[in-house]
Amino acid sequence: MSTYDDIQNIEFDRPGRGKTEEQIQKHTLDLHYVDKPIEKNVYLLTCGDDIQKLSVIQALPQLIKSDPQQTYSRIIPKILEELPNSSCEFQVITSKTFKGLMEKQVPSNLFHAVLQGIESRDTIVANSWMETLIAIIPVLNQTQLKSDILPLVQKKSQLAQPLLGRIASCKMLGKIAIHQCLDADEVKREVLPLAQSLCQDCHPEVRSAICTQIPCIVQGLGTTILRGDLLASLVELGSDDNMYVRSASVSAIVHIFPYTTLDVKKTTLLPLIKQLCDKALKHDDLTATTIAKEIGKILDGLQYSLTIPECLWFLNFYKRLSTKGLNNDEFKGSDASMDVTCRQQAAVNFPPMISFVYSNIPTQIDSLYSIFKDLAGDPCFIVRKTIAGCMHEIIKLYDANSKILKSDFVRLLQDDSEEVLNSLVPHLGTTLELLCEFETLSRLNVNPATLEIGRALLKCQFELTTRNNWRLSTMFLHQFERLPNCMPSDFIHQHFTPILLTCAAKGRARPVRVQAVRTLVIFLRYNGKEMQRRWIRENTVAQLCRSDSYYTRLIYIKLCAAAMDIFSDKYFKEYFYENLLDLAVDPVANIRLCIVNMIMSLKQMLILPEDKQLNERFNTVLKRYTDDEKDRDVIKAFQLKSKEMKTYEINKEEYKKEQKRRRDEEDRINAGAKVSVLLLPKKDTSRFTLIERG
């Protein structure tokens, strides 16, 4: 039987253990290199292994910042010396580092290393250096462009060259065409023939690649496109048998609109686009999705070229895009996911379609609404999510006609998909205000729409409380801050205030409870009836401030922090101040700690002669913290705040001006005036949060 010492010996003599120590010794540098980064990195490039050399490359930008002269004269030459015989990984990392340096126009001659790198026999290395070369073309000078890059592009664009080389030459042509050193004539002479040749390439990937660069070439040519053959090449690409080439031609057409005349649009581009649309209806390919993605820009670019029948034709085509793949549509493709993407892109472009219809064929509003109804009720949540995300834009564009959208808005509010709500909720407040602006909702009267939308909001709130997405619930309650702008205060008080109070007192997630009390304070602020305001104040004190739950009492402190942001000091001192001071003697130390963190704000309110009684109460609290406090964290925080109070100064004029504005607004609300609610930013009240202690 082996003894314990024997086992220890076996562990010590395990194979590989000595090798590990040897590696540690190998990677340990002499101490005299510690404070000499240039010497250290030269040594690593000379004697280090691949990992150490890679670390030098990655540290190159920092070395240039700290010691540029030595880095240029010693480190970079050493890197260039190591490159020819280095590993693939070293070359790839170096190419990316050089790209970053050259894009910032670092004064070092790295250009020839890039040119050498693209000739590597290793495909991965050559492609990495080619990406670097394409990226740095904009910062090259005229000599480099004409002496090195143009001959290289001519070479790489030949049919005998590898496929990746020809694709790279397409990308380089686009960069060259918009280079500041070349004028339109030079682009026409040097770039255009190569581009036309690549448009005729036998491989569809090359034709697709050059198609994406046509807008850059057109930009470089200016109006030369009208007397050149590039437009004819684009027409040919739009008729290509390959769907990827046709799809790329759609995007190219959209991007050349700014450089074309009205006549070119009418005679050439419009027929080409209609041809592409017809092919998209007959073929199950990517072109339909690309057209759906670009349809808004297409119609915006062509709208002055279209007749009424052509406008109707495009509206009908858009309707088919928005229902692609549904029911027994002959436009249905074999790939359901591509159909969904097509409908989703159609939903993205619904706001531009509204502008198009209103401007050109306003009699077709009903047809447009039927398209919207289909998108809002699409069986796939992705499409509904997209249309929900632009609901506020749609209502704004529909203007006075937005009343017809009410039932669809309610349906989206009650959607089963959380993704749809995630898209709808961030703009919910804006949407409700727009509905009020266009008289679907009213701040003065409870109409049927108010009841229907109110029920939908309450149902949505109930559904969210049963789920675990506290971020969405918090955002939803945040949007409720706009309700006083959209609905009568009696309706809000009757239906929404009790829900918020329950959420604040019994909610699960703290952020949700904090947002609930902030929204509750907004409701209190803009409620015009004293009886209802008193009900809110009394119930928040009873259910929050006097709660047996420590966490719930913390929520009341959050409520007071929100009230400081929203109410005038006069109102706060009358209804919140003393209840907050009561928590200064709370049995839980963290509650007292939160009050300590607020004493600066509490102190600055007591500046009027009539504050004498509150001042005495406040000083009593300070004395209690000074004499009787036992908790070390509370004592430490109090001492810190006491020092701050002695040196803290405020701009009294600005402070008085702001307080007067708040008091005047409160007086107007109390007198029955309707005041618009601004969606106030959430203040950082982290200083009032629970401090975890070890």
Side-chain angles (χ1 to χ4, degrees), residues 334-350:
S334 58
D335 187 346
S337 64
M338 192 177 291
D339 289 343
V340 170
T341 304
C342 182
R343 301 200 304 273
Q344 188 251 348
Q345 291 297 334
V348 170
N349 280 281
F350 192 78

Side-chain angles (χ1 to χ4, degrees), residues 41 45 50-63 75-76 78-80 82-83 89-98 101:
N41 285 288
L45 286 170
D50 282 350
I51 295 175
Q52 291 172 314
K53 291 178 180 179
L54 287 174
S55 71
V56 177
I57 296 297
Q58 292 170 333
L60 196 57
Q62 287 75 27
L63 289 171
I75 301 294
I76 289 180
K78 193 65 180 174
I79 292 173
L80 296 176
E82 292 289 323
L83 268 177
E89 187 177 9
F90 184 87
Q91 293 254 13
V92 170
I93 297 295
T94 303
S95 70
K96 292 179 180 178
T97 304
F98 280 14
L101 295 176

Side-chain angles (χ1 to χ4, degrees), residues 150 153-154 157-158 173 190-199 210:
L150 280 171
V153 174
Q154 290 172 349
S157 61
Q158 299 301 313
L173 281 178
E190 302 290 348
V191 175
L192 187 58
L194 293 174
Q196 291 172 323
S197 173
L198 289 166
C199 286
I210 192 61

Side-chain angles (χ1 to χ4, degrees), residues 463-525:
E463 291 295 327
L464 290 177
T465 57
T466 63
R467 303 178 186 179
N468 295 320
N469 192 337
W470 61 264
R471 289 182 177 85
L472 181 58
S473 295
T474 303
M475 191 189 307
F476 191 73
L477 295 180
H478 181 52
Q479 297 301 314
F480 274 11
E481 293 183 18
R482 298 284 188 97
L483 283 183
N485 283 342
C486 316
M487 297 178 178
S489 60
D490 287 342
F491 183 81
I492 294 172
H493 183 75
Q494 182 181 355
H495 294 93
F496 291 93
T497 301
I499 298 294
L500 286 173
L501 189 59
T502 301
C503 188
K506 301 177 181 179
R508 288 185 292 177
R510 177 178 290 186
V512 177
R513 299 177 73 180
V514 171
Q515 181 57 56
V517 294
R518 179 175 173 82
T519 306
L520 202 57
V521 169
I522 294 283
F523 289 176
L524 174 63
R525 175 72 166 80

Side-chain angles (χ1 to χ4, degrees), residues 339-620:
D339 289 343
V340 170
T341 304
C342 182
R343 301 200 304 273
Q344 188 251 348
Q345 291 297 334
V348 170
N349 280 281
F350 192 78
M353 285 302 300
I354 299 173
S355 300
F356 172 74
V357 170
Y358 267 72
S359 300
N360 298 277
I361 41 176
T363 57
Q364 298 299 311
I365 297 300
D366 290 341
S367 298
L368 188 65
Y369 173 67
S370 69
I371 297 173
F372 169 78
K373 199 172 184 66
D374 289 338
L375 291 169
D378 195 277
C380 181
F381 77 92
I382 296 174
V383 181
R384 302 197 306 275
K385 170 187 174 182
T386 304
I387 205 72
C390 53
M391 191 71 200
H392 60 296
E393 297 178 49
I394 294 169
I395 290 175
K396 186 174 183 179
L397 290 167
Y398 258 85
D399 201 277
N401 294 319
S402 61
K403 291 181 180 180
I404 63 174
L405 306 175
K406 179 213 35 166
S407 58
D408 302 284
F409 171 61
V410 168
R411 183 170 52 173
L412 290 170
L413 264 177
Q414 297 175 336
D415 202 281
D416 293 333
S417 171
E418 200 168 275
E419 293 292 329
V420 175
L421 293 178
N422 264 321
S423 188
L424 181 68
V425 167
H427 308 288
L428 183 59
T430 302
T431 305
L432 293 172
E433 286 182 343
L434 288 168
L435 288 172
C436 185
E437 180 182 343
F438 301 131
E439 299 181 354
T440 301
L441 296 174
S442 171
R443 293 182 64 179
L444 302 176
N445 303 306
V446 178
N447 56 29
T450 303
L451 291 172
E452 190 176 353
I453 292 174
R455 280 195 296 267
L457 290 170
L458 291 170
K459 182 179 178 182
C460 185
Q461 163 61 16
F462 175 77
E463 291 295 327
L464 290 177
T465 57
T466 63
R467 303 178 186 179
N468 295 320
N469 192 337
W470 61 264
R471 289 182 177 85
L472 181 58
S473 295
T474 303
M475 191 189 307
F476 191 73
L477 295 180
H478 181 52
Q479 297 301 314
F480 274 11
E481 293 183 18
R482 298 284 188 97
L483 283 183
N485 283 342
C486 316
M487 297 178 178
S489 60
D490 287 342
F491 183 81
I492 294 172
H493 183 75
Q494 182 181 355
H495 294 93
F496 291 93
T497 301
I499 298 294
L500 286 173
L501 189 59
T502 301
C503 188
K506 301 177 181 179
R508 288 185 292 177
R510 177 178 290 186
V512 177
R513 299 177 73 180
V514 171
Q515 181 57 56
V517 294
R518 179 175 173 82
T519 306
L520 202 57
V521 169
I522 294 283
F523 289 176
L524 174 63
R525 175 72 166 80
Y526 294 98
N527 191 305
K529 295 186 177 180
E530 176 56 28
M531 184 175 67
Q532 294 175 358
R533 293 198 298 267
R534 185 169 63 250
W535 185 92
I536 296 173
R537 291 193 301 264
E538 289 175 353
N539 277 274
T540 53
V541 171
Q543 297 187 39
L544 304 178
C545 184
R546 309 290 183 232
S547 172
D548 293 334
S549 167
Y550 147 66
Y551 288 103
T552 304
R553 297 198 298 278
L554 269 181
I555 298 301
Y556 185 78
I557 296 176
K558 292 286 189 180
L559 182 147
C560 290
M564 285 182 183
D565 293 338
I566 296 166
F567 286 102
S568 66
D569 285 355
K570 178 183 177 182
Y571 194 96
F572 186 88
K573 287 183 289 188
E574 186 173 355
Y575 297 112
F576 296 99
Y577 202 100
E578 293 198 63
N579 292 320
L580 188 59
L581 287 183
D582 288 342
L583 295 175
V585 294
D586 195 276
V588 178
N590 279 327
I591 295 284
R592 303 197 300 275
L593 186 59
C594 289
I595 302 300
V596 166
N597 287 326
M598 299 177 73
I599 60 174
M600 190 87 73
S601 299
L602 294 173
K603 174 65 176 175
Q604 74 180 26
M605 293 183 188
L606 306 177
I607 59 175
L608 301 175
E610 55 264 31
D611 296 331
K612 181 178 179 182
Q613 187 176 349
L614 285 179
N615 231 323
E616 290 176 357
R617 180 86 192 279
F618 181 75
N619 289 330
T620 301

